């Protein structure tokens, strides 16, 4: 059995992973696909995305310090911005495909992405390039809160079953600028973001899943409405695949064939080879 | 059966693909893993890589017009280059892990990558973000030419079997600058690069595989030597997964369940579900 491993590629937070590590990632993705009661299509997005889209959702305004911008050299040698940025979260790719639509029933869609955030810390699991599997739901406000809470329950039970002892914590996004405290407090007051936190390294606790409701932010931005013409609400459940693998290796060791039978059974049921 | 599909995400050459398309990609990767006689480990690299590495291999000198550079905003709002660029080819991640080593036997390793090149054309298959599966071989000059030619034969037989009618063509890289014609002619004269070209869209022919020998370029750069202290030679066999999928859909239609039995059998033997 090959031991699951990653190497740092000269730049911190940019790991090179081997086949055994990828087998764990694939197993997670299989589990998550099977756990999704909606059974919707899973889209795959490249790691770069139209700059116009990320501007439209306001990411550059709220999180300019995390956003990677793609520049290239012109004939003259001068370096200029392109029409692309690095994708900061998978779900941004989904909403514009419903632009201007009136939804008569809730919509469920999944997305698998490699995301980039310019993290300033270099602790274990604090990757700058990382895999994210997300489920997105478009519905009423009540429908979105219910859907989000069901995913938190489901993910909590699953993470417990694979021995990761998750803790559910109210959270907020790492906003930038003068308004950051106000924005974070508002997010917490309304319980818009919950995370499931586990140990990914010795004494290092990080979120491996977040359940988010966005109110009508994306419905407003992309003019997506419900049957009565009201802006649609949205929610997403996001899983950090690399951190999940790091947490399992930290907890059970680098050789998946030596993991406890109960853990292996849970992963096998979800597609672990 | 879901039809295999991609959507363009506002920016040309940046496709969003669905589950059925990804099933084809996964099948290719399964085939390639099984076709590799070395059976080496397959590493997975993020889509960004240390700028220092890409500078060290001279990519920014030969192909500055294709290279994506990652920039971020400082506290002041000023946009500055980071320590990262977008990865232009998977194999660059492999060589530095053998830096300074003396190899007593040939080395085989695979890598799966998402690459970026700032292509100026927007025709079908001319993606800016694309998946690449590569096999890398470190050996003597004779060993590298032989290994490269065997991969060309193997890939040609496989592409023929799945109905893509490949044509083997001597090729050169799209060098930049005053020396570009000289560099390309030298590459062709020494037959350093062969491509397997197929039709990926109506009247659009593109390479889906290339077999390359690098002489001692990477051995010299990273001080990797053979048993007698001589610089090691290297070769790579690179497959463009997205183009392969586009070529199959163009040739046999978007519903894999309706593809000819012979094609399905070839892919099933290689892991197609």
């Amino acid at each position: 059995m090959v031991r699951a491993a990653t190497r740092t590629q000269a730049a911190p937070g940019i790991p090179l992973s081997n086949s055994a590590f990828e087998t764990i990632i694939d197993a997670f993705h299989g589990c998550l696909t099977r756990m999704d009661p909606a059974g919707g299509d899973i889209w795959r997005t490249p790691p770069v995305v139209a700059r116009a889209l990320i501007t439209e959702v306001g990411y550059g305004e709220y999180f300019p310090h995390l956003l990677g911008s793609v520049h290239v050299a012109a004939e003259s040698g001068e370096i200029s911005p392109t029409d692309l940025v690095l994708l900061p979260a998978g779900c941004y790719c989904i909403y514009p495909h419903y632009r201007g639509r009136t939804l008569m029933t809730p919509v469920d869609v999944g997305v698998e992405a490699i995301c980039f955030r310019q993290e300033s810390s270099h602790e274990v699991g604090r990757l700058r390039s990382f895999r994210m599997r997300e489920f997105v739901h478009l519905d009423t406000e009540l429908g979105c809160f219910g859907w989000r809470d069901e995913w938190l329950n489901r993910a909590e039970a699953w993470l417990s079953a694979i021995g990761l002892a998750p803790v559910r914590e109210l959270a907020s996004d790492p906003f930038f600028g003068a308004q950051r405290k106000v924005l974070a407090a508002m997010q917490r007051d309304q319980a818009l973001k919950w995370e499931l936190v586990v140990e990914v390294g010795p004494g290092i606790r990080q979120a491996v899943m977040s359940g988010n409701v966005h109110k009508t932010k994306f419905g407003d931005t992309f003019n997506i409405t419900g049957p009565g013409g009201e802006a649609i609400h949205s929610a997403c459940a996001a899983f950090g695949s690399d951190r999940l693998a790091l947490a399992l290796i930290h907890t059970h060791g680098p050789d998946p064939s030596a993991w406890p039978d109960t853990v292996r059974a849970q992963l096998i049921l979800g597609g672990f080879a």
Side-chain angles (χ1 to χ4, degrees), chain A:
Chain A
M1 185 70 193
V2 181
R3 292 163 74 91
T6 60
R7 295 168 166 169
T8 293
Q9 298 197 70
I14 309 298
L16 185 67
S17 52
N18 71 358
S19 299
F21 191 90
E22 292 306 308
T23 302
I24 302 172
I25 299 278
D26 290 346
F28 284 144
H29 290 172
C31 286
L32 291 172
T33 298
R34 287 165 185 76
M35 280 164 66
D36 177 22
D41 204 358
I42 308 286
W43 289 77
R44 179 83 68 105
T45 176
V48 288
V49 66
R51 182 185 299 273
L53 169 60
I54 297 305
T55 302
E56 192 172 12
V57 299
Y59 192 89
E61 182 183 342
Y62 294 122
F63 311 105
H65 53 309
L66 301 179
L67 183 63
S69 172
V70 180
H71 292 228
V72 296
E75 285 278 337
S76 63
E78 196 188 349
I79 308 282
S80 310
T82 64
D83 58 336
L84 301 173
V85 295
L86 288 165
L87 181 68
C91 67
Y92 294 135
C93 295
I94 300 302
Y95 311 113
H97 291 284
Y98 294 90
R99 189 191 295 274
R101 298 255 298 265
T102 299
L103 306 179
M104 302 309 285
T105 56
V107 162
D108 283 288
V109 58
V111 61
E112 198 171 311
I114 303 183
C115 299
F116 179 86
R117 295 178 194 168
Q118 180 70 349
E119 299 283 357
S120 52
S121 157
H122 297 154
E123 70 181 16
V124 172
R126 191 66 64 183
L127 302 174
R128 289 191 286 171
S129 180
F130 55 94
R131 267 80 62 92
M132 189 187 284
R133 174 63 92 81
E134 275 182 275
F135 297 97
V136 173
H137 187 70
L138 305 176
D139 200 342
T140 60
E141 178 161 32
L142 191 67
C144 283
F145 271 92
W147 179 92
R148 190 271 305 263
D149 291 347
E150 277 173 25
W151 256 116
L152 282 166
N153 292 340
R154 199 180 289 127
E156 193 168 48
W158 177 59
L159 293 172
S160 298
I162 59 175
L164 296 185
V167 177
R168 192 183 297 214
E169 297 183 0
L170 195 57
S172 58
D173 287 310
F175 295 105
F176 181 84
Q179 294 297 306
R180 64 176 164 243
K181 286 186 181 166
V182 175
L183 290 165
M186 194 163 64
Q187 207 176 16
R188 285 170 183 272
D189 285 349
Q190 300 182 52
L192 301 185
K193 187 182 197 73
W194 286 96
E195 291 180 342
L196 296 179
V197 174
V198 306
E199 195 169 282
V200 298
I204 300 172
R205 297 172 70 256
Q206 288 169 357
V208 291
M209 186 270 179
S210 73
N212 307 277
V213 289
H214 317 120
K215 314 273 289 196
T216 59
K217 173 176 169 54
F218 297 111
D220 290 333
T221 301
F222 297 107
N223 187 29
I224 311 167
T225 55
E230 72 287 5
I232 205 81
H233 286 250
S234 65
C236 75
F239 294 82
S241 311
D242 293 276
R243 278 189 187 167
L244 275 165
L246 291 171
L248 268 181
I249 293 166
H250 166 65
T251 306
H252 302 304
D255 178 0
S257 69
W259 289 354
D261 286 345
T262 51
V263 173
R264 291 178 53 78
Q266 277 297 326
L267 289 168
I268 290 163
L269 289 173
F272 194 55

